[in-house]
mmCIF file of all heavy atoms in Angstrom:
data_model
loop_
_atom_site.group_PDB
_atom_site.id
_atom_site.type_symbol
_atom_site.label_atom_id
_atom_site.label_comp_id
_atom_site.label_asym_id
_atom_site.label_seq_id
_atom_site.Cartn_x
_atom_site.Cartn_y
_atom_site.Cartn_z
ATOM 1 N N HIS X 80 -16.685 -14.650 -11.485
ATOM 2 C CA HIS X 80 -16.698 -16.064 -11.058
ATOM 3 C C HIS X 80 -15.252 -16.564 -11.022
ATOM 4 O O HIS X 80 -14.607 -16.694 -12.060
ATOM 5 C CB HIS X 80 -17.544 -16.891 -12.043
ATOM 6 C CG HIS X 80 -17.575 -18.361 -11.763
ATOM 7 N ND1 HIS X 80 -18.748 -19.061 -11.568
ATOM 8 C CD2 HIS X 80 -16.593 -19.283 -11.659
ATOM 9 C CE1 HIS X 80 -18.477 -20.337 -11.364
ATOM 10 N NE2 HIS X 80 -17.166 -20.500 -11.415
ATOM 11 N N HIS X 82 -12.285 -19.069 -8.402
ATOM 12 C CA HIS X 82 -12.037 -19.903 -7.221
ATOM 13 C C HIS X 82 -10.625 -19.597 -6.715
ATOM 14 O O HIS X 82 -9.648 -20.085 -7.307
ATOM 15 C CB HIS X 82 -12.098 -21.381 -7.595
ATOM 16 C CG HIS X 82 -13.385 -21.822 -8.238
ATOM 17 N ND1 HIS X 82 -14.306 -22.619 -7.596
ATOM 18 C CD2 HIS X 82 -13.913 -21.578 -9.471
ATOM 19 C CE1 HIS X 82 -15.335 -22.853 -8.398
ATOM 20 N NE2 HIS X 82 -15.119 -22.229 -9.545
ATOM 21 N N GLN X 85 -8.006 -22.400 -6.159
ATOM 22 C CA GLN X 85 -7.556 -23.152 -7.340
ATOM 23 C C GLN X 85 -6.376 -22.502 -8.053
ATOM 24 O O GLN X 85 -6.085 -22.845 -9.211
ATOM 25 C CB GLN X 85 -8.728 -23.350 -8.314
ATOM 26 C CG GLN X 85 -9.847 -24.225 -7.745
ATOM 27 C CD GLN X 85 -11.026 -24.395 -8.692
ATOM 28 O OE1 GLN X 85 -10.923 -24.119 -9.884
ATOM 29 N NE2 GLN X 85 -12.151 -24.837 -8.158
ATOM 30 N N LEU X 96 -14.456 -31.661 -17.180
ATOM 31 C CA LEU X 96 -14.950 -31.193 -15.876
ATOM 32 C C LEU X 96 -14.925 -32.206 -14.712
ATOM 33 O O LEU X 96 -14.243 -31.959 -13.715
ATOM 34 C CB LEU X 96 -16.366 -30.605 -16.028
ATOM 35 C CG LEU X 96 -16.951 -30.078 -14.720
ATOM 36 C CD1 LEU X 96 -16.128 -28.934 -14.157
ATOM 37 C CD2 LEU X 96 -18.395 -29.633 -14.936
ATOM 38 N N ILE X 97 -15.666 -33.298 -14.828
ATOM 39 C CA ILE X 97 -15.844 -34.167 -13.650
ATOM 40 C C ILE X 97 -14.510 -34.805 -13.250
ATOM 41 O O ILE X 97 -14.130 -34.825 -12.068
ATOM 42 C CB ILE X 97 -16.924 -35.252 -13.900
ATOM 43 C CG1 ILE X 97 -18.243 -34.591 -14.384
ATOM 44 C CG2 ILE X 97 -17.143 -36.113 -12.661
ATOM 45 C CD1 ILE X 97 -18.839 -33.557 -13.454
ATOM 46 N N TRP X 99 -11.585 -33.618 -14.006
ATOM 47 C CA TRP X 99 -10.728 -32.497 -13.591
ATOM 48 C C TRP X 99 -10.990 -32.144 -12.111
ATOM 49 O O TRP X 99 -10.049 -31.899 -11.339
ATOM 50 C CB TRP X 99 -11.001 -31.307 -14.519
ATOM 51 C CG TRP X 99 -10.311 -30.032 -14.183
ATOM 52 C CD1 TRP X 99 -9.050 -29.654 -14.556
ATOM 53 C CD2 TRP X 99 -10.851 -28.939 -13.428
ATOM 54 N NE1 TRP X 99 -8.782 -28.398 -14.076
ATOM 55 C CE2 TRP X 99 -9.866 -27.937 -13.381
ATOM 56 C CE3 TRP X 99 -12.069 -28.717 -12.785
ATOM 57 C CZ2 TRP X 99 -10.057 -26.724 -12.713
ATOM 58 C CZ3 TRP X 99 -12.266 -27.520 -12.127
ATOM 59 C CH2 TRP X 99 -11.266 -26.535 -12.098
ATOM 60 N N LEU X 100 -12.266 -32.163 -11.718
ATOM 61 C CA LEU X 100 -12.591 -31.896 -10.307
ATOM 62 C C LEU X 100 -11.989 -32.976 -9.414
ATOM 63 O O LEU X 100 -11.343 -32.671 -8.408
ATOM 64 C CB LEU X 100 -14.118 -31.865 -10.100
ATOM 65 C CG LEU X 100 -14.864 -30.630 -10.590
ATOM 66 C CD1 LEU X 100 -16.378 -30.849 -10.544
ATOM 67 C CD2 LEU X 100 -14.497 -29.397 -9.760
ATOM 68 N N THR X 104 -8.795 -30.756 -8.626
ATOM 69 C CA THR X 104 -9.376 -29.660 -7.858
ATOM 70 C C THR X 104 -9.685 -30.044 -6.416
ATOM 71 O O THR X 104 -9.326 -29.307 -5.489
ATOM 72 C CB THR X 104 -10.641 -29.166 -8.595
ATOM 73 O OG1 THR X 104 -10.231 -28.858 -9.926
ATOM 74 C CG2 THR X 104 -11.224 -27.938 -7.953
ATOM 75 N N PHE X 105 -10.337 -31.187 -6.249
ATOM 76 C CA PHE X 105 -10.693 -31.580 -4.889
ATOM 77 C C PHE X 105 -9.447 -31.784 -4.018
ATOM 78 O O PHE X 105 -9.403 -31.275 -2.882
ATOM 79 C CB PHE X 105 -11.615 -32.807 -4.894
ATOM 80 C CG PHE X 105 -13.019 -32.508 -5.403
ATOM 81 C CD1 PHE X 105 -13.835 -33.532 -5.880
ATOM 82 C CD2 PHE X 105 -13.523 -31.212 -5.399
ATOM 83 C CE1 PHE X 105 -15.127 -33.254 -6.339
ATOM 84 C CE2 PHE X 105 -14.810 -30.930 -5.869
ATOM 85 C CZ PHE X 105 -15.608 -31.962 -6.337
ATOM 86 N N GLU X 108 -8.220 -28.338 -3.008
ATOM 87 C CA GLU X 108 -9.115 -27.648 -2.071
ATOM 88 C C GLU X 108 -9.040 -28.254 -0.664
ATOM 89 O O GLU X 108 -9.317 -27.578 0.328
ATOM 90 C CB GLU X 108 -10.559 -27.655 -2.606
ATOM 91 C CG GLU X 108 -10.717 -26.776 -3.854
ATOM 92 C CD GLU X 108 -12.163 -26.489 -4.250
ATOM 93 O OE1 GLU X 108 -13.091 -26.861 -3.508
ATOM 94 O OE2 GLU X 108 -12.355 -25.876 -5.319
ATOM 95 N N TYR X 139 -15.301 -18.143 -4.980
ATOM 96 C CA TYR X 139 -15.598 -19.381 -4.258
ATOM 97 C C TYR X 139 -14.412 -19.654 -3.336
ATOM 98 O O TYR X 139 -13.257 -19.679 -3.789
ATOM 99 C CB TYR X 139 -15.711 -20.562 -5.227
ATOM 100 C CG TYR X 139 -16.964 -20.587 -6.080
ATOM 101 C CD1 TYR X 139 -17.292 -19.530 -6.914
ATOM 102 C CD2 TYR X 139 -17.809 -21.697 -6.062
ATOM 103 C CE1 TYR X 139 -18.430 -19.559 -7.708
ATOM 104 C CE2 TYR X 139 -18.953 -21.744 -6.860
ATOM 105 C CZ TYR X 139 -19.258 -20.666 -7.677
ATOM 106 O OH TYR X 139 -20.382 -20.711 -8.466
ATOM 107 N N VAL X 166 -18.043 -22.829 0.128
ATOM 108 C CA VAL X 166 -18.648 -23.844 -0.732
ATOM 109 C C VAL X 166 -19.477 -24.793 0.130
ATOM 110 O O VAL X 166 -19.048 -25.222 1.200
ATOM 111 C CB VAL X 166 -17.557 -24.618 -1.515
ATOM 112 C CG1 VAL X 166 -18.107 -25.907 -2.100
ATOM 113 C CG2 VAL X 166 -16.974 -23.736 -2.617
ATOM 114 N N MET X 168 -21.299 -28.436 0.082
ATOM 115 C CA MET X 168 -21.100 -29.662 -0.714
ATOM 116 C C MET X 168 -21.317 -30.844 0.224
ATOM 117 O O MET X 168 -20.476 -31.096 1.084
ATOM 118 C CB MET X 168 -19.644 -29.602 -1.251
ATOM 119 C CG MET X 168 -19.322 -30.566 -2.270
ATOM 120 S SD MET X 168 -17.956 -30.118 -3.412
ATOM 121 C CE MET X 168 -16.556 -29.712 -2.400
ATOM 122 N N PRO X 206 -23.528 -22.928 -2.900
ATOM 123 C CA PRO X 206 -23.683 -24.372 -3.181
ATOM 124 C C PRO X 206 -22.921 -24.652 -4.476
ATOM 125 O O PRO X 206 -23.185 -24.024 -5.487
ATOM 126 C CB PRO X 206 -25.201 -24.536 -3.367
ATOM 127 C CG PRO X 206 -25.745 -23.171 -3.649
ATOM 128 C CD PRO X 206 -24.785 -22.176 -3.054
ATOM 129 N N ARG X 207 -21.949 -25.547 -4.444
ATOM 130 C CA ARG X 207 -20.991 -25.659 -5.560
ATOM 131 C C ARG X 207 -21.686 -25.848 -6.911
ATOM 132 O O ARG X 207 -21.479 -25.081 -7.831
ATOM 133 C CB ARG X 207 -20.031 -26.815 -5.306
ATOM 134 C CG ARG X 207 -19.044 -26.965 -6.427
ATOM 135 C CD ARG X 207 -17.980 -28.004 -6.200
ATOM 136 N NE ARG X 207 -16.788 -27.515 -6.843
ATOM 137 C CZ ARG X 207 -15.654 -27.193 -6.239
ATOM 138 N NH1 ARG X 207 -15.504 -27.392 -4.950
ATOM 139 N NH2 ARG X 207 -14.656 -26.695 -6.905
ATOM 140 N N PHE X 208 -22.484 -26.918 -7.019
ATOM 141 C CA PHE X 208 -23.376 -27.166 -8.177
ATOM 142 C C PHE X 208 -24.287 -28.321 -7.807
ATOM 143 O O PHE X 208 -24.031 -29.042 -6.842
ATOM 144 C CB PHE X 208 -22.632 -27.342 -9.490
ATOM 145 C CG PHE X 208 -21.778 -28.572 -9.715
ATOM 146 C CD1 PHE X 208 -21.539 -29.031 -11.008
ATOM 147 C CD2 PHE X 208 -21.181 -29.268 -8.668
ATOM 148 C CE1 PHE X 208 -20.744 -30.141 -11.264
ATOM 149 C CE2 PHE X 208 -20.375 -30.374 -8.904
ATOM 150 C CZ PHE X 208 -20.167 -30.803 -10.205
ATOM 151 N N ALA X 209 -25.349 -28.482 -8.566
ATOM 152 C CA ALA X 209 -26.389 -29.448 -8.195
ATOM 153 C C ALA X 209 -25.846 -30.841 -7.851
ATOM 154 O O ALA X 209 -26.290 -31.439 -6.864
ATOM 155 C CB ALA X 209 -27.446 -29.516 -9.293
ATOM 156 N N PRO X 210 -24.861 -31.386 -8.608
ATOM 157 C CA PRO X 210 -24.431 -32.753 -8.301
ATOM 158 C C PRO X 210 -23.791 -32.936 -6.920
ATOM 159 O O PRO X 210 -23.768 -34.056 -6.408
ATOM 160 C CB PRO X 210 -23.401 -33.051 -9.405
ATOM 161 C CG PRO X 210 -23.786 -32.160 -10.530
ATOM 162 C CD PRO X 210 -24.287 -30.910 -9.869
ATOM 163 N N THR X 211 -23.252 -31.870 -6.323
ATOM 164 C CA THR X 211 -22.584 -32.062 -5.028
ATOM 165 C C THR X 211 -23.429 -31.576 -3.849
ATOM 166 O O THR X 211 -22.917 -31.455 -2.737
ATOM 167 C CB THR X 211 -21.195 -31.379 -4.995
ATOM 168 O OG1 THR X 211 -21.322 -30.044 -5.490
ATOM 169 C CG2 THR X 211 -20.185 -32.139 -5.823
ATOM 170 N N THR X 234 -23.347 -20.309 -8.046
ATOM 171 C CA THR X 234 -23.210 -21.741 -8.312
ATOM 172 C C THR X 234 -22.852 -21.930 -9.790
ATOM 173 O O THR X 234 -22.617 -20.946 -10.502
ATOM 174 C CB THR X 234 -24.505 -22.498 -7.932
ATOM 175 O OG1 THR X 234 -24.287 -23.905 -7.997
ATOM 176 C CG2 THR X 234 -25.672 -22.132 -8.858
ATOM 177 N N HIS X 235 -22.716 -23.182 -10.205
ATOM 178 C CA HIS X 235 -22.433 -23.498 -11.608
ATOM 179 C C HIS X 235 -23.684 -24.062 -12.261
ATOM 180 O O HIS X 235 -24.465 -24.745 -11.611
ATOM 181 C CB HIS X 235 -21.324 -24.546 -11.711
ATOM 182 C CG HIS X 235 -20.012 -24.126 -11.132
ATOM 183 N ND1 HIS X 235 -19.739 -24.177 -9.792
ATOM 184 C CD2 HIS X 235 -18.895 -23.637 -11.720
ATOM 185 C CE1 HIS X 235 -18.511 -23.742 -9.579
ATOM 186 N NE2 HIS X 235 -17.966 -23.400 -10.734
ATOM 187 N N VAL X 236 -23.841 -23.828 -13.557
ATOM 188 C CA VAL X 236 -24.957 -24.435 -14.288
ATOM 189 C C VAL X 236 -24.539 -24.771 -15.714
ATOM 190 O O VAL X 236 -23.803 -24.009 -16.348
ATOM 191 C CB VAL X 236 -26.192 -23.498 -14.288
ATOM 192 C CG1 VAL X 236 -26.042 -22.319 -15.228
ATOM 193 C CG2 VAL X 236 -27.463 -24.261 -14.659
ATOM 194 N N GLU X 238 -22.528 -26.576 -17.721
ATOM 195 C CA GLU X 238 -21.172 -26.287 -18.200
ATOM 196 C C GLU X 238 -20.675 -27.368 -19.153
ATOM 197 O O GLU X 238 -19.908 -27.083 -20.071
ATOM 198 C CB GLU X 238 -20.246 -26.178 -16.975
ATOM 199 C CG GLU X 238 -18.767 -25.996 -17.284
ATOM 200 C CD GLU X 238 -17.909 -25.887 -16.031
ATOM 201 O OE1 GLU X 238 -18.471 -26.019 -14.921
ATOM 202 O OE2 GLU X 238 -16.690 -25.672 -16.166
ATOM 203 N N ASN X 239 -21.109 -28.620 -18.905
ATOM 204 C CA ASN X 239 -20.470 -29.762 -19.562
ATOM 205 C C ASN X 239 -21.540 -30.841 -19.809
ATOM 206 O O ASN X 239 -22.425 -31.027 -18.970
ATOM 207 C CB ASN X 239 -19.358 -30.228 -18.601
ATOM 208 C CG ASN X 239 -18.845 -31.614 -18.849
ATOM 209 O OD1 ASN X 239 -19.545 -32.589 -18.594
ATOM 210 N ND2 ASN X 239 -17.611 -31.722 -19.305
ATOM 211 N N GLU X 242 -21.993 -33.532 -17.176
ATOM 212 C CA GLU X 242 -22.603 -32.936 -15.987
ATOM 213 C C GLU X 242 -24.128 -32.841 -16.162
ATOM 214 O O GLU X 242 -24.901 -33.144 -15.243
ATOM 215 C CB GLU X 242 -21.994 -31.537 -15.784
ATOM 216 C CG GLU X 242 -22.647 -30.668 -14.742
ATOM 217 C CD GLU X 242 -22.387 -29.166 -14.991
ATOM 218 O OE1 GLU X 242 -22.047 -28.788 -16.135
ATOM 219 O OE2 GLU X 242 -22.534 -28.391 -14.037
ATOM 220 N N TYR X 256 -31.719 -28.569 -15.968
ATOM 221 C CA TYR X 256 -30.709 -28.246 -14.946
ATOM 222 C C TYR X 256 -31.132 -27.023 -14.122
ATOM 223 O O TYR X 256 -31.153 -27.030 -12.894
ATOM 224 C CB TYR X 256 -29.365 -28.000 -15.655
ATOM 225 C CG TYR X 256 -28.123 -28.019 -14.780
ATOM 226 C CD1 TYR X 256 -26.883 -28.351 -15.336
ATOM 227 C CD2 TYR X 256 -28.168 -27.699 -13.431
ATOM 228 C CE1 TYR X 256 -25.728 -28.365 -14.575
ATOM 229 C CE2 TYR X 256 -27.010 -27.717 -12.660
ATOM 230 C CZ TYR X 256 -25.795 -28.041 -13.235
ATOM 231 O OH TYR X 256 -24.653 -28.046 -12.477
ATOM 232 N N GLY X 273 -22.512 -19.694 -12.986
ATOM 233 C CA GLY X 273 -21.302 -19.844 -13.797
ATOM 234 C C GLY X 273 -21.560 -20.673 -15.043
ATOM 235 O O GLY X 273 -22.250 -21.699 -14.978
ATOM 236 N N HIS X 274 -21.041 -20.226 -16.177
ATOM 237 C CA HIS X 274 -20.984 -20.960 -17.460
ATOM 238 C C HIS X 274 -22.253 -20.860 -18.316
ATOM 239 O O HIS X 274 -22.288 -20.141 -19.290
ATOM 240 C CB HIS X 274 -20.537 -22.410 -17.251
ATOM 241 C CG HIS X 274 -19.260 -22.506 -16.483
ATOM 242 N ND1 HIS X 274 -18.039 -22.239 -17.062
ATOM 243 C CD2 HIS X 274 -18.998 -22.751 -15.166
ATOM 244 C CE1 HIS X 274 -17.089 -22.357 -16.153
ATOM 245 N NE2 HIS X 274 -17.640 -22.660 -14.991
ATOM 246 N N CYS X 296 -17.279 -17.632 -18.783
ATOM 247 C CA CYS X 296 -15.916 -18.022 -18.379
ATOM 248 C C CYS X 296 -15.161 -18.550 -19.609
ATOM 249 O O CYS X 296 -14.926 -19.764 -19.732
ATOM 250 C CB CYS X 296 -15.993 -19.113 -17.318
ATOM 251 S SG CYS X 296 -17.074 -18.744 -15.918
ATOM 252 N N SER X 299 -11.808 -20.824 -19.414
ATOM 253 C CA SER X 299 -12.131 -22.090 -18.763
ATOM 254 C C SER X 299 -12.893 -22.999 -19.714
ATOM 255 O O SER X 299 -12.596 -24.195 -19.826
ATOM 256 C CB SER X 299 -12.958 -21.800 -17.507
ATOM 257 O OG SER X 299 -13.512 -22.972 -16.981
ATOM 258 N N ASN X 300 -13.868 -22.437 -20.412
ATOM 259 C CA ASN X 300 -14.696 -23.245 -21.320
ATOM 260 C C ASN X 300 -13.863 -23.857 -22.429
ATOM 261 O O ASN X 300 -14.127 -24.976 -22.870
ATOM 262 C CB ASN X 300 -15.827 -22.400 -21.903
ATOM 263 C CG ASN X 300 -16.818 -21.920 -20.844
ATOM 264 O OD1 ASN X 300 -17.593 -21.004 -21.083
ATOM 265 N ND2 ASN X 300 -16.778 -22.505 -19.662
ATOM 266 N N ILE X 303 -11.006 -26.509 -20.380
ATOM 267 C CA ILE X 303 -11.543 -27.810 -19.905
ATOM 268 C C ILE X 303 -12.354 -28.478 -21.006
ATOM 269 O O ILE X 303 -12.892 -29.569 -20.810
ATOM 270 C CB ILE X 303 -12.395 -27.670 -18.621
ATOM 271 C CG1 ILE X 303 -11.894 -26.599 -17.667
ATOM 272 C CG2 ILE X 303 -12.390 -28.976 -17.845
ATOM 273 C CD1 ILE X 303 -12.637 -26.567 -16.327
ATOM 274 N N SER X 305 -15.228 -27.486 -22.383
ATOM 275 C CA SER X 305 -16.648 -27.578 -22.028
ATOM 276 C C SER X 305 -17.568 -27.242 -23.189
ATOM 277 O O SER X 305 -18.600 -27.884 -23.376
ATOM 278 C CB SER X 305 -16.938 -26.643 -20.849
ATOM 279 O OG SER X 305 -16.138 -27.000 -19.749
ATOM 280 N N ASP X 327 -12.649 -17.659 -13.937
ATOM 281 C CA ASP X 327 -12.847 -19.032 -13.463
ATOM 282 C C ASP X 327 -11.535 -19.767 -13.222
ATOM 283 O O ASP X 327 -11.400 -20.955 -13.545
ATOM 284 C CB ASP X 327 -13.742 -19.840 -14.408
ATOM 285 C CG ASP X 327 -14.181 -21.153 -13.793
ATOM 286 O OD1 ASP X 327 -14.284 -21.229 -12.561
ATOM 287 O OD2 ASP X 327 -14.389 -22.126 -14.546
ATOM 288 N N ILE X 328 -10.559 -19.082 -12.655
ATOM 289 C CA ILE X 328 -9.366 -19.805 -12.168
ATOM 290 C C ILE X 328 -9.831 -20.869 -11.206
ATOM 291 O O ILE X 328 -10.726 -20.624 -10.411
ATOM 292 C CB ILE X 328 -8.442 -18.807 -11.401
ATOM 293 C CG1 ILE X 328 -7.867 -17.758 -12.350
ATOM 294 C CG2 ILE X 328 -7.319 -19.541 -10.645
ATOM 295 C CD1 ILE X 328 -7.172 -18.314 -13.542
ATOM 296 N N GLY X 329 -9.329 -22.116 -11.185
ATOM 297 C CA GLY X 329 -8.317 -22.684 -11.983
ATOM 298 C C GLY X 329 -8.754 -23.470 -13.202
ATOM 299 O O GLY X 329 -7.892 -24.020 -13.872
ATOM 300 N N GLY X 330 -10.060 -23.503 -13.550
ATOM 301 C CA GLY X 330 -10.442 -24.050 -14.849
ATOM 302 C C GLY X 330 -9.985 -23.093 -15.931
ATOM 303 O O GLY X 330 -9.524 -23.500 -17.000
ATOM 304 N N GLY X 331 -10.097 -21.806 -15.632
ATOM 305 C CA GLY X 331 -9.594 -20.768 -16.521
ATOM 306 C C GLY X 331 -8.081 -20.743 -16.486
ATOM 307 O O GLY X 331 -7.445 -21.266 -15.559
HETATM 308 N N1 GUN V 1 -18.388 -27.149 -11.459
HETATM 309 C C1 GUN V 1 -18.389 -27.477 -10.144
HETATM 310 N N2 GUN V 1 -17.262 -27.072 -9.543
HETATM 311 C C2 GUN V 1 -16.532 -26.469 -10.474
HETATM 312 C C3 GUN V 1 -15.250 -25.829 -10.455
HETATM 313 O O1 GUN V 1 -14.573 -25.738 -9.445
HETATM 314 N N3 GUN V 1 -14.827 -25.311 -11.642
HETATM 315 C C4 GUN V 1 -15.563 -25.381 -12.778
HETATM 316 N N4 GUN V 1 -15.084 -24.847 -13.900
HETATM 317 N N5 GUN V 1 -16.745 -25.989 -12.818
HETATM 318 C C5 GUN V 1 -17.226 -26.516 -11.687
#
Side-chain angles (χ1 to χ4, degrees):
H80 177 124
H82 303 251
Q85 295 179 16
L96 181 62
I97 307 302
W99 175 86
L100 285 170
T104 306
F105 289 159
E108 291 193 6
Y139 287 58
V166 164
M168 192 155 54
R207 180 175 214 116
F208 69 154
T211 48
T234 189
H235 299 81
V236 75
E238 175 180 3
N239 162 289
E242 171 203 20
Y256 196 154
H274 307 284
C296 309
S299 169
N300 295 163
I303 325 187
S305 301
D327 192 29
I328 294 307

